Amino acid sequence: MAQILPSILSADFARLGDEIAKVESGGAGMLHVDVMDGHFVPNMTLGPPVVESIRKVTRSVLDVHLMITDPDRYAPLFVEAGADQVSVHYEAATHLDRTVRNIQSLGARAGVVLNPATPVGVLEDMLDVVDYVLVMSVNPGFGGQKFIPNSLKKIRRLDKMRQERSLPFRIEIDGGVNLENVGEIVRAGCDWLVAGSSVFHSADSASAVRDLQRAADGALAVRV
Ligand code: DX5
Ligand code: ZN
C-alpha cells in the first residue's frame, strides 16, 4: 500500500510537536525531514539536534532527506539522532556504494535521491544495494514548487526494473504532490509520496493527510 509522508519543511517550526501530532492524527506513520546546507541547495533548514528532539515526540518512521554536499560526514550523525532511514543525493556522493553501505551498517535504511535531470539508469548497479530510491519531482531546495511530469516516467522505469530483477527496494517521490496527481503517481508504481505544502498549508493538515491517503488507496484499487 502506498503511503503519504508529510514533509515538515512546510510545518510551523515554532510548533513542530503539535504539527507532527496533527498529521499523525490524520493517519501519517512516516515523516519526511528535509536537511539543507546552503551549499548543495540554496536554502538551510535543520541539523541533528532537531531530529533528536523530533525523535522524542514521535514513534513514526523518520525519513531524513539529506540535501548536503558532504553526506559521508553527516549521515551517521542523523542516524545517531534517531533517523530510521537516510537518503543521499546521487549528485552529492563521490563513493555512493560506500556511503549507502555505511548508513546501512549503522542500522538505518539507506536511499539514493535523483534530481530531475539525473536519469534512473545511473543507479543500475546500485539497485540491489539500496533500500529505496527517491525521485525528485521538483528541483530540491524549496517547498511549494510545481510537479515535474517527467518524474512519472522515472517512477515507471524504476518499477519495471525492480519487477524484472525481483528487487525489494521502495520507490519514493518528493515535490509538488497534491490531490490531483496522487492517483497517477501511485499507478506509476510509487510506494512513498512526500507531501509538504499540500498538507501543512491546508486549512486542516489532519484531513489533508487523510484525503491524500484515501486518493492513494483508491488509485491502487483501480490498478488491480
Ligand atoms: C524540496 C523538499 C521537499 C519539500 C516538498 O527540496 O525536498 O521535501 O518539502 O514540498 P512540496 O510538497 O510543497 O513540494
Ligand atoms: Zn525532501
Side-chain angles (χ1 to χ4, degrees):
M1 194 179 89
Q3 264 181 280
I4 302 297
L5 286 73
S7 168
I8 61 160
L9 180 66
S10 298
D12 178 354
F13 277 25
R15 305 173 36 249
L16 203 44
D18 294 344
E19 294 271 70
I20 288 171
K22 189 97 197 281
V23 291
E24 287 175 338
S25 77
M30 293 177 80
L31 300 169
H32 185 79
V33 180
D34 287 309
V35 177
M36 306 185 186
D37 66 353
H39 291 275
F40 182 69
V41 288
N43 196 5
M44 295 169 100
T45 53
L46 52 90
V50 177
V51 172
E52 212 178 313
S53 297
I54 297 172
R55 181 72 289 166
K56 288 182 189 145
V57 300
T58 180
R59 289 166 130 178
S60 288
V61 170
L62 294 184
D63 172 44
V64 173
H65 172 193
L66 296 184
M67 284 161 276
I68 63 176
T69 51
D70 197 349
D72 288 306
R73 180 168 170 197
Y74 295 104
L77 302 183
F78 285 95
V79 177
E80 210 177 299
D84 298 285
Q85 51 188 57
V86 176
S87 60
V88 300
H89 270 259
Y90 169 82
E91 303 83 7
T94 315
H95 302 287
L96 189 62
D97 181 85
R98 178 187 290 147
T99 310
V100 164
R101 290 183 196 272
N102 189 34
I103 293 168
Q104 291 168 333
S105 75
L106 298 169
R109 285 197 287 249
V112 176
V113 194
L114 299 176
N115 272 339
T118 307
V120 299
V122 298
L123 289 186
E124 202 177 322
D125 295 314
M126 282 298 291
L127 292 180
D128 53 348
V129 181
V130 297
D131 295 298
Y132 60 107
V133 176
L134 168 47
V135 172
M136 287 308 299
S137 40
V138 298
N139 286 291
F142 303 94
Q145 301 181 79
K146 205 169 165 287
F147 183 82
I148 298 173
N150 191 43
S151 18
L152 287 171
K153 282 191 215 149
K154 293 166 81 170
I155 299 279
R156 280 187 208 108
R157 184 140 177 246
L158 281 165
D159 188 38
K160 194 163 170 241
M161 287 159 102
R162 77 174 160 179
Q163 282 181 37
E164 281 170 1
R165 294 167 59 184
S166 302
L167 292 170
F169 68 87
R170 300 303 185 96
I171 305 172
E172 181 174 19
I173 199 160
D174 184 10
V177 172
N178 56 40
L179 257 188
E180 280 75 62
N181 56 25
V182 159
E184 52 184 348
I185 294 169
V186 172
R187 282 192 291 276
C190 192
D191 307 292
W192 297 335
L193 290 77
V194 175
S197 47
S198 62
V199 168
F200 289 105
H201 294 173
S202 67
D204 178 351
S205 59
S207 346
V209 173
R210 223 173 281 126
D211 291 348
L212 287 162
Q213 188 61 59
R214 204 170 290 144
D217 296 345
L220 267 191
V222 172
R223 201 186 183 197
V224 175

